């Protein structure tokens, strides 16, 4: 048997090929690790951005709702129209003040494009104080939405389906119970669009 001699050139060539393969594997592993890290950082950045957007949206909705509920309170601009309506004994005066109250609620709704509806609900009679302009039947369903937080007399609710638009639109909402001049307890409720 003849022994084959491997030339020095072949050994050098083989070592070079082996070195190139090792370098290629190292580059691939490093690139893969870098891509994984970049992807992980990208996911984390997206999550931070989404959380920031959600928090900003929630804060804006809560401020809008608070402004509306303050206007609807017994001391507020719309609340004073409720007081006038509740204290009238004559049918004609009730009719005039009911029209005025409805106009105040419509004005309140048109003052903010994101406000979908604001109404007064009588929890003891299970009906709205003044039927809304769209004649949509409102029930106590508005209290079943998930509570986001409670602040003094106001209860803020997280994203849920609209009471007014039959759950077709995601909204934030808030309500509070108010005692008016004649002793009547009413729930003030408002919804704003979720962006």
């Amino acid at each position: 048997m003849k022994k084959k001699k491997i030339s020095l050139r072949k050994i050098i060539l083989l070592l070079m090929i082996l070195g190139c393969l090792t370098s290629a594997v190292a580059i691939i592993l490093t690139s893969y690790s870098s891509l994984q890290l970049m992807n992980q950082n990208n996911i984390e950045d997206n999550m931070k951005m989404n959380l920031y957007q959600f928090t900003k949206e929630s804060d804006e909705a809560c401020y809008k709702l608070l402004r509306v509920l303050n206007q609807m309170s017994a001391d507020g601009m719309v609340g004073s129209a409720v007081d006038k309506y509740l204290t009238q004994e004559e049918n004609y005066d009730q009719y005039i003040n009911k029209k005025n109250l409805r106009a105040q609620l419509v004005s309140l709704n048109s003052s903010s494009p994101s406000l979908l509806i604001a109404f007064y609900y009588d929890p003891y009679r299970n009906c709205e104080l003044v039927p809304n302009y769209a004649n949509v039947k409102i029930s106590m369903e508005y209290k079943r939405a998930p509570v986001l937080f409670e602040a003094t007399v106001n209860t803020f609710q997280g994203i849920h389906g609209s009471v007014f638009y039959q759950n077709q639109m995601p909204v934030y909402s808030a309500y509070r119970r108010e005692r008016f001049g004649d002793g009547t307890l009413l729930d003030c409720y408002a919804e704003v669009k979720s962006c």
Side-chain angles (χ1 to χ4, degrees):
M1 269 217 296
K2 288 184 178 176
K3 287 187 178 178
K4 288 188 178 178
K5 285 187 178 178
I6 300 177
S7 70
L8 187 57
R9 277 188 191 171
K10 287 183 180 178
I11 292 174
I12 292 174
L13 183 61
L14 191 59
L15 287 174
M16 285 176 61
I17 291 173
L18 193 58
C20 287
L21 286 175
T22 306
S23 296
V25 168
I27 289 171
I28 290 170
L29 288 176
T30 305
S31 298
Y32 180 76
S33 298
S34 297
L35 287 173
Q36 285 292 91
L37 186 61
M38 284 171 46
N39 191 26
Q40 197 172 20
N41 288 342
N42 197 14
I43 290 170
E44 187 177 330
D45 289 344
N46 283 339
M47 287 175 65
K48 284 179 184 176
M49 181 59 82
N50 288 342
L51 182 60
Y52 171 76
Q53 284 296 112
F54 178 75
T55 304
K56 183 178 174 189
E57 176 185 306
S58 299
D59 288 349
E60 287 174 8
C62 288
Y63 289 129
K64 287 175 188 171
L65 289 167
L66 185 60
R67 278 195 303 270
V68 170
L69 290 181
N70 284 339
Q71 290 182 36
M72 294 176 74
S73 71
D75 300 331
M77 182 181 70
V78 182
S80 64
V82 172
D83 261 336
K84 282 182 185 176
Y85 171 69
L86 291 172
T87 55
Q88 296 303 316
E89 293 179 12
E90 297 294 322
N91 286 340
Y92 179 74
D93 291 336
Q94 277 186 341
Y95 171 76
I96 293 297
N97 284 307
K98 187 176 191 176
K99 278 183 71 172
N100 180 40
L101 176 55
R102 184 175 282 146
Q104 290 279 345
L105 288 170
V106 168
S107 170
L108 186 63
N109 283 325
S110 63
S111 68
S112 173
S114 63
L115 181 65
L116 294 176
I117 189 167
F119 60 83
Y120 292 94
Y121 193 83
D122 187 335
Y124 301 105
R125 292 186 184 144
N126 284 333
C127 63
E128 280 184 88
L129 179 66
V130 176
N132 59 68
Y133 49 88
N135 291 323
V136 174
K137 179 90 171 110
I138 303 293
S139 67
M140 292 285 284
E141 291 290 318
Y142 64 89
K143 286 198 166 187
R144 294 195 180 140
V147 173
L148 195 58
F149 66 94
E150 292 183 30
T152 59
V153 295
N154 301 312
T155 301
F156 293 89
Q157 298 169 312
I159 296 177
H160 61 92
S162 171
V163 170
F164 188 63
Y165 288 97
Q166 282 81 33
N167 298 327
Q168 294 176 1
M169 184 178 296
V171 296
Y172 289 96
S173 62
Y175 66 91
R176 74 194 292 173
R177 185 152 291 176
E178 277 288 317
R179 182 178 301 277
F180 289 89
D182 69 340
T184 304
L185 283 172
L186 296 173
D187 286 344
C188 308
Y189 177 85
E191 286 182 351
V192 294
K193 292 178 198 172
S194 162
C195 299

